[in-house]
Coordinates of all heavy atoms in Angstrom, one line a residue:
M1 N 12.7 -9.5 2.9 CA 12.2 -8.7 1.7 C 11.5 -9.6 0.7 O 11.8 -10.8 0.6 CB 13.4 -8.1 1.0 CG 13.9 -6.8 1.6 SD 12.6 -5.6 1.4 CE 13.3 -4.3 2.3
I2 N 10.5 -9.0 0.1 CA 9.8 -9.7 -1.0 C 10.5 -9.6 -2.3 O 10.9 -8.5 -2.7 CB 8.3 -9.2 -1.1 CG1 7.6 -9.2 0.3 CG2 7.6 -9.9 -2.1 CD1 6.3 -8.5 0.3
K3 N 10.8 -10.8 -2.9 CA 11.6 -10.8 -4.1 C 10.7 -11.3 -5.3 O 9.8 -12.1 -5.1 CB 12.8 -11.6 -4.0 CG 13.7 -11.1 -2.8 CD 15.0 -11.9 -2.7 CE 15.7 -11.3 -1.5 NZ 17.1 -11.2 -1.7
D4 N 11.0 -10.8 -6.5 CA 10.4 -11.3 -7.7 C 11.0 -12.6 -8.1 O 12.0 -13.1 -7.5 CB 10.3 -10.3 -8.8 CG 11.7 -9.9 -9.3 OD1 12.7 -10.6 -9.0 OD2 11.8 -8.9 -10.0
K5 N 10.6 -13.2 -9.3 CA 11.2 -14.5 -9.7 C 12.7 -14.4 -10.1 O 13.3 -15.4 -10.1 CB 10.3 -15.0 -10.8 CG 10.2 -14.2 -12.1 CD 9.2 -14.9 -13.0 CE 8.9 -13.9 -14.1 NZ 7.9 -14.4 -15.0
E6 N 13.2 -13.2 -10.3 CA 14.6 -13.0 -10.6 C 15.4 -12.8 -9.3 O 16.6 -12.6 -9.3 CB 14.9 -11.9 -11.6 CG 14.6 -12.2 -13.0 CD 13.1 -11.8 -13.4 OE1 12.7 -10.8 -12.9 OE2 12.5 -12.6 -14.1
G7 N 14.7 -12.8 -8.2 CA 15.4 -12.6 -6.9 C 15.6 -11.1 -6.5 O 16.2 -10.8 -5.5
K8 N 15.0 -10.2 -7.3 CA 15.1 -8.8 -7.0 C 14.0 -8.4 -6.0 O 12.9 -8.9 -6.0 CB 15.0 -7.9 -8.2 CG 16.1 -8.2 -9.2 CD 15.9 -7.3 -10.5 CE 16.9 -7.6 -11.5 NZ 16.7 -7.0 -12.8
E9 N 14.3 -7.5 -5.1 CA 13.3 -7.0 -4.2 C 12.3 -6.1 -4.9 O 12.6 -4.9 -5.0 CB 14.0 -6.3 -3.0 CG 14.9 -7.3 -2.2 CD 15.8 -6.6 -1.2 OE1 15.8 -5.4 -1.1 OE2 16.4 -7.3 -0.5
F10 N 11.2 -6.6 -5.3 CA 10.3 -5.9 -6.2 C 9.7 -4.7 -5.6 O 9.3 -3.7 -6.3 CB 9.3 -6.8 -6.9 CG 8.1 -7.1 -6.0 CD1 7.0 -6.3 -6.1 CD2 8.0 -8.2 -5.2 CE1 5.8 -6.6 -5.4 CE2 6.9 -8.4 -4.4 CZ 5.8 -7.6 -4.5
L11 N 9.4 -4.6 -4.3 CA 8.8 -3.5 -3.7 C 9.7 -2.2 -3.7 O 9.2 -1.1 -3.6 CB 8.4 -3.8 -2.2 CG 7.2 -4.7 -2.1 CD1 6.9 -5.0 -0.6 CD2 6.0 -4.1 -2.7
N12 N 11.0 -2.4 -3.9 CA 11.9 -1.3 -4.0 C 11.6 -0.4 -5.2 O 12.0 0.8 -5.2 CB 13.4 -1.8 -4.1 CG 13.9 -2.2 -2.7 OD1 13.3 -1.9 -1.7 ND2 14.9 -3.0 -2.7
I13 N 10.9 -0.9 -6.2 CA 10.5 0.0 -7.3 C 9.6 1.1 -6.8 O 9.5 2.2 -7.5 CB 9.8 -0.7 -8.5 CG1 8.5 -1.4 -8.0 CG2 10.7 -1.8 -9.1 CD1 7.7 -1.9 -9.2
L14 N 9.0 1.0 -5.7 CA 8.0 2.0 -5.1 C 8.8 3.1 -4.4 O 8.2 4.2 -4.2 CB 7.0 1.3 -4.2 CG 6.1 0.3 -4.9 CD1 5.1 -0.2 -3.9 CD2 5.4 0.9 -6.1
V15 N 10.0 2.8 -3.9 CA 10.7 3.8 -3.1 C 10.9 5.0 -4.0 O 11.5 4.9 -5.1 CB 12.0 3.2 -2.5 CG1 12.8 4.3 -1.8 CG2 11.7 2.1 -1.6
G16 N 10.5 6.2 -3.5 CA 10.7 7.4 -4.2 C 9.5 7.8 -5.1 O 9.4 8.9 -5.7
E17 N 8.5 6.8 -5.2 CA 7.3 7.1 -6.0 C 6.2 7.6 -5.1 O 6.1 7.2 -4.0 CB 6.9 5.8 -6.7 CG 7.9 5.2 -7.6 CD 8.2 6.0 -8.9 OE1 7.3 6.7 -9.3 OE2 9.3 6.0 -9.4
K18 N 5.3 8.4 -5.7 CA 4.2 8.8 -4.9 C 2.9 8.0 -5.2 O 2.8 7.5 -6.3 CB 3.9 10.3 -5.2 CG 3.3 10.7 -6.5 CD 3.1 12.1 -6.6 CE 2.5 12.5 -8.0 NZ 3.4 12.3 -9.1
L19 N 2.1 7.9 -4.2 CA 0.8 7.3 -4.4 C 0.0 8.2 -5.2 O -0.3 9.3 -4.8 CB 0.1 7.0 -3.1 CG -1.2 6.3 -3.1 CD1 -1.2 5.0 -3.8 CD2 -1.8 6.2 -1.7
S20 N -0.4 7.8 -6.4 CA -1.1 8.7 -7.3 C -2.6 8.5 -7.4 O -3.3 9.4 -7.8 CB -0.5 8.7 -8.7 OG -0.4 7.4 -9.2
S21 N -3.0 7.3 -7.0 CA -4.5 7.1 -7.0 C -4.8 5.9 -6.1 O -4.0 5.0 -6.0 CB -5.1 6.9 -8.4 OG -4.7 5.6 -9.0
V22 N -6.0 5.9 -5.6 CA -6.6 4.8 -4.8 C -8.0 4.6 -5.4 O -8.8 5.5 -5.5 CB -6.8 5.3 -3.3 CG1 -7.5 4.2 -2.5 CG2 -5.5 5.6 -2.7
T23 N -8.2 3.3 -5.9 CA -9.4 3.0 -6.5 C -10.1 1.9 -5.7 O -9.6 0.8 -5.5 CB -9.2 2.5 -8.0 OG1 -8.5 3.5 -8.7 CG2 -10.5 2.2 -8.7
F24 N -11.3 2.2 -5.2 CA -12.1 1.2 -4.5 C -13.0 0.5 -5.5 O -13.8 1.1 -6.1 CB -12.9 1.9 -3.4 CG -12.1 2.5 -2.3 CD1 -11.7 3.8 -2.4 CD2 -11.8 1.8 -1.2 CE1 -10.9 4.4 -1.4 CE2 -11.0 2.3 -0.2 CZ -10.6 3.7 -0.3
V25 N -12.9 -0.8 -5.6 CA -13.7 -1.7 -6.4 C -14.5 -2.6 -5.5 O -14.0 -2.8 -4.3 CB -12.9 -2.5 -7.4 CG1 -13.7 -3.2 -8.4 CG2 -11.9 -1.5 -8.2
M26 N -15.6 -3.1 -5.9 CA -16.5 -3.8 -5.1 C -15.8 -4.6 -3.9 O -16.2 -4.4 -2.8 CB -17.3 -4.8 -5.9 CG -18.7 -5.0 -5.5 SD -19.6 -5.7 -6.9 CE -20.5 -6.9 -6.0
D27 N -14.9 -5.5 -4.2 CA -14.4 -6.3 -3.1 C -12.8 -6.3 -3.2 O -12.2 -7.2 -2.7 CB -14.9 -7.7 -3.2 CG -14.7 -8.4 -4.5 OD1 -14.2 -7.8 -5.4 OD2 -15.0 -9.6 -4.6
Y28 N -12.2 -5.3 -3.8 CA -10.8 -5.2 -3.8 C -10.4 -3.7 -3.9 O -11.2 -2.8 -4.1 CB -10.1 -6.1 -4.9 CG -10.5 -5.8 -6.3 CD1 -9.7 -4.9 -7.1 CD2 -11.6 -6.3 -6.9 CE1 -10.0 -4.6 -8.4 CE2 -11.9 -6.1 -8.2 CZ -11.2 -5.2 -8.9 OH -11.5 -5.0 -10.2
L29 N -9.1 -3.5 -3.9 CA -8.5 -2.1 -3.9 C -7.4 -2.1 -4.8 O -6.6 -3.0 -5.0 CB -8.0 -1.8 -2.4 CG -7.3 -0.5 -2.2 CD1 -8.4 0.6 -2.2 CD2 -6.7 -0.5 -0.8
Q30 N -7.3 -1.0 -5.6 CA -6.1 -0.7 -6.4 C -5.4 0.5 -6.0 O -6.0 1.5 -5.8 CB -6.6 -0.6 -7.9 CG -7.1 -1.9 -8.5 CD -7.6 -1.7 -9.9 OE1 -8.2 -0.7 -10.3 NE2 -7.4 -2.8 -10.7
L31 N -4.1 0.4 -5.9 CA -3.2 1.5 -5.5 C -2.3 1.7 -6.7 O -1.7 0.8 -7.2 CB -2.4 1.2 -4.3 CG -3.2 0.8 -3.0 CD1 -2.2 0.5 -1.9 CD2 -4.1 2.0 -2.6
D32 N -2.2 2.9 -7.1 CA -1.3 3.3 -8.2 C -0.2 4.2 -7.8 O -0.5 5.2 -7.1 CB -2.1 3.9 -9.4 CG -1.3 4.0 -10.6 OD1 -0.4 5.0 -10.7 OD2 -1.4 3.2 -11.5
F33 N 1.0 3.8 -8.1 CA 2.2 4.6 -7.7 C 2.9 5.0 -9.0 O 3.8 4.3 -9.5 CB 3.2 3.8 -6.8 CG 2.6 3.3 -5.5 CD1 1.8 2.1 -5.5 CD2 2.8 4.0 -4.4 CE1 1.3 1.7 -4.3 CE2 2.2 3.6 -3.2 CZ 1.5 2.4 -3.1
D34 N 2.5 6.1 -9.5 CA 3.0 6.7 -10.8 C 3.2 5.6 -11.9 O 4.2 5.5 -12.5 CB 4.4 7.3 -10.5 CG 4.3 8.6 -9.7 OD1 3.2 9.2 -9.7 OD2 5.2 9.0 -9.0
G35 N 2.2 4.8 -12.0 CA 2.2 3.8 -13.1 C 2.4 2.4 -12.6 O 2.1 1.4 -13.3
N36 N 2.9 2.2 -11.4 CA 3.0 0.8 -10.8 C 1.8 0.6 -10.0 O 1.6 1.1 -9.0 CB 4.3 0.8 -9.9 CG 5.6 1.0 -10.7 OD1 5.8 0.2 -11.6 ND2 6.3 2.0 -10.3
Q37 N 0.9 -0.3 -10.6 CA -0.4 -0.5 -9.9 C -0.4 -1.9 -9.2 O 0.1 -2.9 -9.7 CB -1.5 -0.5 -11.0 CG -2.8 -0.6 -10.4 CD -3.9 -0.4 -11.4 OE1 -4.2 -1.4 -12.1 NE2 -4.5 0.7 -11.5
F38 N -0.9 -1.8 -8.0 CA -1.1 -3.0 -7.2 C -2.6 -3.2 -6.9 O -3.3 -2.3 -6.6 CB -0.4 -2.8 -5.8 CG 1.1 -2.9 -5.9 CD1 1.8 -1.8 -6.3 CD2 1.8 -4.1 -5.6 CE1 3.2 -1.9 -6.4 CE2 3.1 -4.1 -5.7 CZ 3.8 -3.0 -6.1
T39 N -3.0 -4.5 -7.1 CA -4.4 -4.8 -6.8 C -4.3 -5.6 -5.5 O -3.6 -6.6 -5.4 CB -5.0 -5.7 -7.9 OG1 -5.1 -4.9 -9.1 CG2 -6.4 -6.1 -7.5
L40 N -5.1 -5.2 -4.5 CA -5.1 -5.9 -3.2 C -6.4 -6.5 -2.9 O -7.5 -5.8 -3.0 CB -4.8 -4.8 -2.1 CG -3.5 -4.0 -2.2 CD1 -3.4 -2.9 -1.2 CD2 -2.3 -4.9 -2.2
Y41 N -6.4 -7.8 -2.6 CA -7.7 -8.5 -2.3 C -7.9 -8.6 -0.8 O -8.9 -9.2 -0.3 CB -7.7 -9.8 -2.9 CG -7.6 -9.7 -4.4 CD1 -6.4 -9.8 -5.1 CD2 -8.8 -9.5 -5.1 CE1 -6.4 -9.7 -6.5 CE2 -8.8 -9.3 -6.5 CZ -7.6 -9.4 -7.2 OH -7.6 -9.3 -8.6
V42 N -7.0 -8.0 0.0 CA -7.1 -7.9 1.4 C -7.0 -6.4 1.8 O -6.1 -5.8 1.3 CB -6.0 -8.7 2.2 CG1 -6.1 -8.5 3.7 CG2 -6.1 -10.2 1.8
W43 N -8.0 -5.9 2.5 CA -8.0 -4.5 2.8 C -6.8 -4.2 3.8 O -6.7 -4.8 4.8 CB -9.3 -4.1 3.5 CG -10.4 -4.3 2.5 CD1 -11.3 -5.3 2.5 CD2 -10.8 -3.4 1.4 NE1 -12.2 -5.1 1.4 CE2 -11.9 -4.0 0.7 CE3 -10.3 -2.2 0.9 CZ2 -12.5 -3.4 -0.4 CZ3 -10.9 -1.6 -0.2 CH2 -11.9 -2.2 -0.8
P44 N -5.9 -3.3 3.4 CA -4.8 -3.0 4.2 C -5.2 -2.2 5.5 O -6.1 -1.5 5.5 CB -3.9 -2.1 3.3 CG -4.9 -1.5 2.3 CD -6.0 -2.5 2.1
V45 N -4.4 -2.4 6.5 CA -4.5 -1.6 7.7 C -3.6 -0.4 7.5 O -2.5 -0.4 7.0 CB -3.9 -2.4 8.9 CG1 -3.9 -1.5 10.2 CG2 -4.7 -3.7 9.2
V46 N -4.2 0.8 7.8 CA -3.5 2.1 7.6 C -3.1 2.6 9.0 O -3.9 2.7 9.9 CB -4.3 3.1 6.9 CG1 -3.6 4.4 6.7 CG2 -4.8 2.6 5.5
N47 N -1.8 2.8 9.2 CA -1.3 3.3 10.5 C -0.7 4.7 10.3 O 0.2 4.8 9.6 CB -0.2 2.3 11.0 CG 0.2 2.7 12.4 OD1 0.5 3.8 12.7 ND2 0.4 1.7 13.2
I48 N -1.3 5.6 11.0 CA -0.9 7.0 10.9 C -0.7 7.5 12.3 O -1.7 7.5 13.1 CB -1.8 7.9 10.1 CG1 -1.9 7.4 8.6 CG2 -1.4 9.4 10.2 CD1 -2.8 8.2 7.7
G49 N 0.5 7.9 12.7 CA 0.7 8.5 14.0 C 0.4 7.5 15.1 O 0.0 7.8 16.2
G50 N 0.7 6.2 14.8 CA 0.5 5.1 15.8 C -1.0 4.7 16.0 O -1.2 3.8 16.8
K51 N -1.9 5.2 15.2 CA -3.3 4.8 15.2 C -3.6 4.0 14.0 O -3.2 4.4 12.9 CB -4.2 6.0 15.3 CG -5.7 5.6 15.2 CD -6.6 6.4 16.0 CE -8.1 6.1 15.8 NZ -8.5 4.8 15.9
E52 N -4.2 2.8 14.2 CA -4.5 2.0 13.1 C -6.0 2.2 12.6 O -6.9 2.4 13.5 CB -4.4 0.5 13.5 CG -3.0 0.0 13.7 CD -2.8 -1.4 13.9 OE1 -3.8 -2.1 14.2 OE2 -1.7 -1.9 13.7
Y53 N -6.2 2.2 11.3 CA -7.5 2.4 10.7 C -7.8 1.2 9.9 O -7.0 0.7 9.1 CB -7.5 3.6 9.8 CG -7.2 4.9 10.6 CD1 -5.9 5.4 10.7 CD2 -8.3 5.6 11.2 CE1 -5.7 6.5 11.4 CE2 -8.0 6.8 11.9 CZ -6.7 7.2 12.0 OH -6.4 8.4 12.8
L54 N -9.0 0.6 10.1 CA -9.4 -0.6 9.5 C -10.5 -0.3 8.5 O -11.3 0.7 8.6 CB -9.9 -1.6 10.5 CG -8.9 -2.0 11.6 CD1 -9.6 -2.9 12.6 CD2 -7.7 -2.6 11.0
F55 N -10.7 -1.2 7.5 CA -11.7 -1.0 6.5 C -13.1 -0.8 7.1 O -13.9 -0.1 6.5 CB -11.7 -2.2 5.5 CG -12.8 -2.1 4.5 CD1 -12.7 -1.2 3.4 CD2 -13.9 -3.0 4.5 CE1 -13.7 -1.2 2.5 CE2 -14.9 -3.0 3.6 CZ -14.8 -2.0 2.5
S56 N -13.4 -1.4 8.2 CA -14.7 -1.3 8.8 C -15.1 0.0 9.4 O -16.2 0.3 9.7 CB -14.9 -2.4 9.9 OG -13.9 -2.2 10.9
E57 N -14.1 0.9 9.5 CA -14.3 2.2 10.1 C -14.8 3.2 9.1 O -14.2 3.2 7.9 CB -13.0 2.7 10.8 CG -12.6 1.8 11.9 CD -11.3 2.3 12.5 OE1 -11.3 3.3 13.2 OE2 -10.2 1.6 12.3
P58 N -15.7 4.1 9.4 CA -16.2 5.1 8.5 C -15.2 6.0 7.9 O -15.3 6.4 6.7 CB -17.3 5.9 9.3 CG -17.6 5.0 10.4 CD -16.4 4.1 10.7
I59 N -14.1 6.3 8.6 CA -13.1 7.3 8.2 C -12.0 6.6 7.3 O -11.2 7.3 6.8 CB -12.5 8.0 9.4 CG1 -11.7 9.2 9.0 CG2 -11.6 7.0 10.2 CD1 -11.3 10.1 10.1
Y60 N -12.1 5.3 7.2 CA -11.0 4.5 6.5 C -10.7 5.0 5.1 O -9.6 5.3 4.8 CB -11.4 3.0 6.5 CG -10.4 2.2 5.7 CD1 -9.3 1.7 6.4 CD2 -10.6 1.8 4.4 CE1 -8.4 0.8 5.8 CE2 -9.7 1.0 3.8 CZ -8.6 0.5 4.4 OH -7.7 -0.3 3.8
R61 N -11.7 5.2 4.4 CA -11.5 5.7 3.0 C -10.8 7.1 2.9 O -9.9 7.3 2.1 CB -12.8 5.7 2.2 CG -13.3 4.3 1.9 CD -14.7 4.3 1.2 NE -15.2 3.0 0.9 CZ -15.8 2.2 1.8 NH1 -16.0 2.6 3.0 NH2 -16.2 1.0 1.4
D62 N -11.3 8.0 3.8 CA -10.6 9.3 3.8 C -9.2 9.2 4.2 O -8.3 9.9 3.7 CB -11.4 10.2 4.8 CG -12.8 10.6 4.3 OD1 -13.0 10.5 3.0 OD2 -13.7 10.9 5.1
I63 N -8.9 8.4 5.2 CA -7.5 8.2 5.7 C -6.6 7.6 4.6 O -5.5 8.1 4.4 CB -7.5 7.3 7.0 CG1 -8.2 8.0 8.2 CG2 -6.1 6.9 7.3 CD1 -7.5 9.3 8.6
L64 N -7.1 6.6 4.0 CA -6.3 6.0 2.9 C -6.1 7.0 1.8 O -5.0 7.1 1.3 CB -7.0 4.7 2.4 CG -6.3 3.9 1.4 CD1 -4.9 3.5 1.9 CD2 -7.1 2.7 1.0
C65 N -7.1 7.7 1.4 CA -7.0 8.7 0.3 C -6.1 9.9 0.7 O -5.5 10.5 -0.2 CB -8.4 9.2 -0.2 SG -9.3 7.9 -1.1
S66 N -6.0 10.1 2.0 CA -5.1 11.2 2.4 C -3.6 10.9 2.1 O -2.8 11.8 2.1 CB -5.2 11.5 3.9 OG -4.6 10.5 4.7
L67 N -3.3 9.7 1.8 CA -1.9 9.3 1.4 C -1.6 9.6 -0.1 O -0.5 9.5 -0.5 CB -1.7 7.8 1.7 CG -1.8 7.4 3.2 CD1 -1.7 5.9 3.3 CD2 -0.7 8.1 4.0
I68 N -2.6 10.0 -0.8 CA -2.4 10.3 -2.2 C -1.5 11.5 -2.3 O -1.7 12.5 -1.5 CB -3.7 10.6 -3.0 CG1 -4.5 9.3 -3.1 CG2 -3.5 11.2 -4.4 CD1 -6.0 9.5 -3.6
T69 N -0.5 11.5 -3.1 CA 0.6 12.4 -3.3 C 1.8 12.2 -2.3 O 2.8 12.8 -2.5 CB 0.2 13.9 -3.2 OG1 -0.1 14.3 -1.9 CG2 -0.9 14.2 -4.2
K70 N 1.6 11.3 -1.3 CA 2.7 11.0 -0.4 C 3.7 10.1 -1.1 O 3.3 9.2 -1.9 CB 2.2 10.3 0.9 CG 1.2 11.2 1.6 CD 1.8 12.4 2.3 CE 0.8 13.1 3.1 NZ 1.1 14.4 3.5
V71 N 5.0 10.3 -0.8 CA 6.1 9.5 -1.5 C 6.5 8.3 -0.6 O 6.6 8.5 0.7 CB 7.3 10.4 -1.7 CG1 8.5 9.6 -2.2 CG2 6.9 11.6 -2.7
V72 N 6.7 7.2 -1.2 CA 7.1 6.0 -0.4 C 8.5 6.2 0.0 O 9.4 6.4 -0.8 CB 6.9 4.7 -1.3 CG1 7.5 3.5 -0.5 CG2 5.5 4.5 -1.7
K73 N 8.8 6.1 1.3 CA 10.1 6.2 1.8 C 10.8 4.9 2.0 O 12.0 4.8 1.7 CB 10.0 6.8 3.2 CG 11.2 7.0 4.0 CD 10.9 7.6 5.4 CE 12.2 7.8 6.2 NZ 11.8 8.3 7.5
Q74 N 10.1 3.8 2.3 CA 10.7 2.5 2.6 C 9.7 1.4 2.4 O 8.5 1.7 2.6 CB 11.2 2.6 4.0 CG 12.0 1.4 4.5 CD 12.5 1.6 5.9 OE1 12.1 2.5 6.6 NE2 13.5 0.8 6.3
T75 N 10.1 0.2 2.0 CA 9.2 -0.9 1.9 C 9.9 -2.1 2.6 O 11.1 -2.2 2.6 CB 9.0 -1.3 0.4 OG1 10.2 -1.7 -0.2 CG2 8.4 -0.1 -0.4
Y76 N 9.1 -3.0 3.1 CA 9.5 -4.2 3.7 C 8.4 -5.2 3.8 O 7.2 -4.8 3.8 CB 10.3 -4.0 5.0 CG 9.7 -3.0 6.0 CD1 9.8 -3.3 7.3 CD2 9.1 -1.8 5.6 CE1 9.3 -2.3 8.2 CE2 8.6 -0.9 6.5 CZ 8.7 -1.2 7.8 OH 8.2 -0.3 8.7
G77 N 8.7 -6.5 4.0 CA 7.7 -7.5 4.1 C 8.2 -8.9 4.1 O 9.5 -9.1 4.0
E78 N 7.3 -9.8 4.0 CA 7.7 -11.2 3.9 C 6.8 -11.8 2.9 O 5.6 -11.7 2.9 CB 7.5 -11.9 5.3 CG 8.0 -13.3 5.3 CD 7.9 -14.0 6.7 OE1 8.0 -13.2 7.7 OE2 7.8 -15.2 6.7
K79 N 7.4 -12.5 1.9 CA 6.7 -13.0 0.7 C 5.5 -13.9 1.1 O 5.5 -14.7 2.0 CB 7.7 -13.9 -0.1 CG 7.1 -14.4 -1.4 CD 8.1 -15.1 -2.2 CE 7.5 -15.5 -3.5 NZ 8.5 -16.2 -4.3
Q80 N 4.4 -13.6 0.5 CA 3.1 -14.2 0.7 C 2.5 -14.1 2.1 O 1.6 -14.8 2.4 CB 3.2 -15.7 0.2 CG 3.5 -15.9 -1.2 CD 3.6 -17.3 -1.6 OE1 3.6 -18.2 -0.8 NE2 3.6 -17.5 -2.9
K81 N 3.0 -13.2 2.9 CA 2.5 -12.9 4.2 C 2.0 -11.5 4.4 O 0.9 -11.3 4.8 CB 3.5 -13.3 5.3 CG 3.7 -14.8 5.3 CD 4.5 -15.2 6.5 CE 4.7 -16.8 6.5 NZ 5.3 -17.3 7.6
Y82 N 2.9 -10.6 4.2 CA 2.6 -9.2 4.4 C 3.6 -8.3 3.7 O 4.7 -8.7 3.3 CB 2.5 -8.8 5.9 CG 3.9 -8.7 6.5 CD1 4.5 -7.5 6.6 CD2 4.5 -9.8 7.0 CE1 5.8 -7.4 7.1 CE2 5.8 -9.7 7.6 CZ 6.4 -8.5 7.6 OH 7.6 -8.4 8.2
F83 N 3.2 -7.0 3.5 CA 4.2 -6.0 3.1 C 3.8 -4.7 3.7 O 2.6 -4.5 4.0 CB 4.5 -5.9 1.6 CG 3.3 -5.4 0.8 CD1 3.2 -4.0 0.6 CD2 2.4 -6.3 0.3 CE1 2.2 -3.5 -0.2 CE2 1.4 -5.8 -0.5 CZ 1.2 -4.4 -0.7
T84 N 4.8 -3.9 4.0 CA 4.6 -2.6 4.6 C 5.2 -1.5 3.7 O 6.3 -1.7 3.2 CB 5.2 -2.5 6.0 OG1 4.6 -3.6 6.8 CG2 5.0 -1.2 6.7
L85 N 4.4 -0.4 3.5 CA 4.9 0.7 2.8 C 5.0 1.9 3.8 O 4.0 2.2 4.5 CB 4.0 1.1 1.7 CG 3.7 0.1 0.7 CD1 2.7 0.6 -0.4 CD2 4.9 -0.4 0.0
E86 N 6.1 2.5 4.0 CA 6.3 3.6 4.8 C 6.4 4.9 4.0 O 7.2 4.9 3.0 CB 7.5 3.5 5.7 CG 7.7 4.6 6.7 CD 9.0 4.4 7.5 OE1 9.4 3.3 7.8 OE2 9.5 5.4 7.9
F87 N 5.5 5.8 4.2 CA 5.5 7.1 3.5 C 6.3 8.2 4.1 O 6.3 8.2 5.4 CB 4.0 7.5 3.2 CG 3.3 6.6 2.3 CD1 2.6 5.5 2.8 CD2 3.2 6.9 1.0 CE1 1.9 4.7 2.0 CE2 2.5 6.0 0.1 CZ 1.8 4.9 0.6
E88 N 6.8 9.1 3.3 CA 7.4 10.3 3.9 C 6.3 11.2 4.5 O 5.2 11.1 4.1 CB 8.2 11.1 2.8 CG 9.4 10.3 2.2 CD 10.1 11.0 1.1 OE1 9.6 12.1 0.7 OE2 11.1 10.5 0.7
K89 N 6.7 12.0 5.4 CA 5.7 12.8 6.1 C 5.5 14.1 5.3 O 6.2 14.5 4.5 CB 6.2 13.2 7.5 CG 6.2 11.9 8.3 CD 6.6 12.2 9.7 CE 6.7 10.9 10.5 NZ 6.9 11.0 11.8

């Protein structure tokens, strides 16, 4: 699990929160979860139904935006390597 400087698993604040906005900026992405905003400098891979969608694909933006209003069910990851957000269906 990814922990903050106090040792708390900081991604847990997202569990139960919905993705409320996706903002595409020139070379980065912002995801907002009811006020908890994350800025990503690496384009995330979106996996829906076992199919992966990459930034280079024309449908990527639509797929990522389709997650708006979805609630985060679970989070996990490894500090400074990756994190995964699993959304409720």
Side-chain angles (χ1 to χ4, degrees):
M1 276 294 174
I2 302 172
K3 299 183 183 222
D4 65 11
K5 58 186 170 185
E6 283 92 36
K8 296 178 184 170
E9 296 171 355
F10 82 91
L11 286 177
N12 284 341
I13 63 170
L14 299 181
V15 174
E17 300 293 330
K18 72 177 176 300
L19 178 61
S20 52
S21 70
V22 175
T23 305
F24 295 90
V25 185
M26 215 161 137
D27 57 353
Y28 62 93
L29 177 71
Q30 292 179 321
L31 302 176
D32 191 279
F33 298 86
D34 293 335
N36 295 302
Q37 189 176 75
F38 287 80
T39 299
L40 305 173
Y41 295 98
V42 175
W43 296 99
V45 174
V46 180
N47 184 317
I48 297 179
K51 174 144 176 48
E52 289 187 346
Y53 298 91
L54 306 174
F55 177 71
S56 60
E57 298 177 70
I59 195 168
Y60 178 83
R61 288 174 179 84
D62 291 336
I63 293 295
L64 188 56
C65 288
S66 75
L67 297 173
I68 294 172
T69 73
K70 302 289 185 197
V71 174
V72 176
K73 177 181 177 181
Q74 185 175 15
T75 65
Y76 40 144
E78 188 174 330
K79 188 175 183 178
Q80 297 181 347
K81 292 191 179 187
Y82 75 92
F83 68 89
T84 300
L85 304 177
E86 183 179 332
F87 290 87
E88 294 178 357
K89 295 182 182 189

